């Protein structure tokens, strides 16, 4: 019995930190999740800066892809600068940006009620969208860190009235230094409790719209992109379900045992991005 258990453990671990099919040789772009993949809070994951440098030294490119719609690319550029890495705005993709792109394509000229903070409102306005608090054509909800009861009542009224209902991303919780705080998915839940509706469309990972936006930004096809992240149900699923390659890193939320029970399977598994460096 013990021998069988040991053999199962050996089988479970044998494909970690390996690229037997030489997938990485043909990858030109790395789409990277951030928290849990590249850093934790304000601290670099061991080897992450060297991993990013190696990507560039090998002639490849990286772009950060985050579901967090409470911050804009300028925030991330500043944060990374303060951590010792200089990137430009074109290297950041957020679910907020992808939502602006979707609305530009599908609801041109329509008035939008946005449940989001000031940073996201600025992005919507810069994207040429018309914001309307009183007579909108479409409702958009996000990770609103300025949420109050008046906003809650208003958004539920509009959703209950049957307006098209879009959300930036599905995450239920956002990790912090002290645990978790309610994220966009938790907002969906309270709206549903009052209006009996969930979003008609969710833009962020693992859904197709953010990947379409990403590929448009990169001017490439999915077979040249590796999605890298620490969550199976958002990061890995975003790649696997939308024609990209996917890599799970075990430096954040997901543990190796989770892979065995998940329907979503990554193409590659590494303990952290540090272990990827020899393959680039």
């Amino acid at each position: 019995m013990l021998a069988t258990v040991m053999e199962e453990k050996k089988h479970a671990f044998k494909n970690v930190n390996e690229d037997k099919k030489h997938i990485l040789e043909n990858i030109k772009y790395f789409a990277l999740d951030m928290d849990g993949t590249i850093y934790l809070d304000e601290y670099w994951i061991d080897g992450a800066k060297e991993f990013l440098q190696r990507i560039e030294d090998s002639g490849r490119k990286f772009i950060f892809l985050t579901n967090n719609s409470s911050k804009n690319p300028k925030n991330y550029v500043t944060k990374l600068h303060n951590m010792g890495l200089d990137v430009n705005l074109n290297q950041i993709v957020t679910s907020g940006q992808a939502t602006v792109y979707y609305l530009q394509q599908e609801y041109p000229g329509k008035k939008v009620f946005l449940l989001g903070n000031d940073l996201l409102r600025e992005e919507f306005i810069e994207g040429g969208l018309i914001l309307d608090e009183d007579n909108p054509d479409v409702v958009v909800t996000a990770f609103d860190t300025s949420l109050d009861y008046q906003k809650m009542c208003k958004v539920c009224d509009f959703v209950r009235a049957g307006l098209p209902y879009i959300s930036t991303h599905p995450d239920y919780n956002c990790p912090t230094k002290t645990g978790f705080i309610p994220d966009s998915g938790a907002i969906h839940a309270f709206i549903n409790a009052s209006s009996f509706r969930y979003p008609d469309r969710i833009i962020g990972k693992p859904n197709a719209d953010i990947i379409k936006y990403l590929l448009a930004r990169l001017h490439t096809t999915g077979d040249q992109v590796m999605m890298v992240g620490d969550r199976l149900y958002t990061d890995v699923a975003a790649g696997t379900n939308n024609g990209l390659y996917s890599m799970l890193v075990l430096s954040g939320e997901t543990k190796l045992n989770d892979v065995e029970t998940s329907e979503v399977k990554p193409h590659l598994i590494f303990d952290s991005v540090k272990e990827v460096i020899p393959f680039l």
Side-chain angles (χ1 to χ4, degrees):
M1 180 67 178
L2 179 59
T4 301
V5 172
M6 292 299 292
E7 186 62 31
E8 287 177 353
K9 286 186 176 181
K10 181 180 177 183
H11 174 74
F13 281 82
K14 71 178 183 179
N15 292 322
V16 177
N17 300 331
E18 295 182 355
D19 181 18
K20 292 182 177 180
K21 296 182 179 180
H22 304 285
I23 295 171
L24 289 168
E25 290 180 3
N26 298 312
I27 296 300
K28 295 183 178 180
Y29 302 93
F30 288 83
L32 306 172
D33 179 54
M34 302 179 82
D35 210 334
T37 301
I38 298 299
Y39 55 68
L40 290 170
D41 293 327
E42 309 295 329
Y43 302 96
W44 289 102
I45 287 175
D46 184 36
K49 287 184 73 175
E50 293 78 7
F51 166 70
L52 298 175
Q53 187 62 54
R54 179 57 188 154
I55 289 175
E56 293 188 329
D57 289 346
S58 67
R60 301 172 172 93
K61 296 181 180 180
F62 65 83
I63 191 166
F64 294 111
L65 183 66
T66 177
N67 267 358
N68 192 340
S69 58
S70 71
K71 299 177 181 178
N72 63 24
K74 294 177 185 177
N75 289 104
Y76 287 109
V77 168
T78 299
K79 176 174 181 173
L80 290 168
H81 172 76
N82 291 337
M83 293 173 64
L85 179 73
D86 287 322
V87 298
N88 59 56
L89 293 174
N90 290 330
Q91 290 175 279
I92 310 289
V93 171
T94 71
S95 67
Q97 290 177 306
T99 302
V100 169
Y101 180 76
Y102 175 79
L103 292 169
Q104 289 169 337
Q105 306 302 310
E106 301 298 327
Y107 294 93
K110 298 297 183 181
K111 296 175 291 185
V112 178
F113 175 85
L114 174 61
L115 187 79
N117 63 13
D118 288 341
L119 293 174
L120 188 59
R121 294 180 68 84
E122 288 175 13
E123 275 196 295
F124 274 50
I125 293 170
E126 289 173 2
L129 300 178
I130 304 167
L131 300 184
D132 192 316
E133 297 275 324
D134 302 310
N135 189 34
D137 301 304
V138 58
V139 174
V140 177
T141 64
F143 178 21
D144 187 357
T145 54
S146 61
L147 187 62
D148 59 28
Y149 193 70
Q150 183 179 4
K151 285 187 178 183
M152 291 170 65
C153 291
K154 212 163 196 177
V155 72
C156 288
D157 284 343
F158 289 136
V159 171
R160 198 180 298 112
L163 293 181
Y165 172 21
I166 313 300
S167 171
T168 57
H169 64 289
D171 302 46
Y172 282 97
N173 289 299
C174 179
T176 70
K177 295 177 182 179
T178 58
F180 295 95
I181 56 175
D183 204 325
S184 184
I187 292 173
H188 302 166
F190 89 64
I191 293 174
N192 178 68
S194 178
S195 68
F196 306 105
R197 283 182 66 194
Y198 280 107
D200 303 319
R201 198 172 191 103
I202 301 176
I203 304 300
K205 298 178 290 184
N207 300 299
D209 290 303
I210 196 169
I211 300 302
K212 290 178 182 177
Y213 177 66
L214 171 70
L215 295 178
R217 284 270 298 266
L218 293 176
H219 305 289
T220 191
T221 53
D223 60 341
Q224 296 185 324
V225 181
M226 176 67 72
M227 181 69 225
V228 183
D230 68 308
R231 293 182 179 183
L232 287 165
Y233 57 92
T234 54
D235 305 317
V236 172
T240 302
N241 296 344
N242 296 294
L244 280 60
Y245 286 101
S246 62
M247 178 191 297
L248 174 70
V249 289
L250 303 173
S251 52
E253 177 178 311
T254 303
K255 307 305 178 188
L256 193 57
N257 289 340
D258 298 328
V259 180
E260 297 181 6
T261 58
S262 172
E263 293 182 3
V264 178
K265 304 294 185 184
H267 293 93
L268 299 172
I269 305 174
F270 283 83
D271 285 322
S272 73
V273 292
K274 179 181 181 180
E275 313 302 328
V276 184
I277 295 173
F279 295 88
L280 300 179

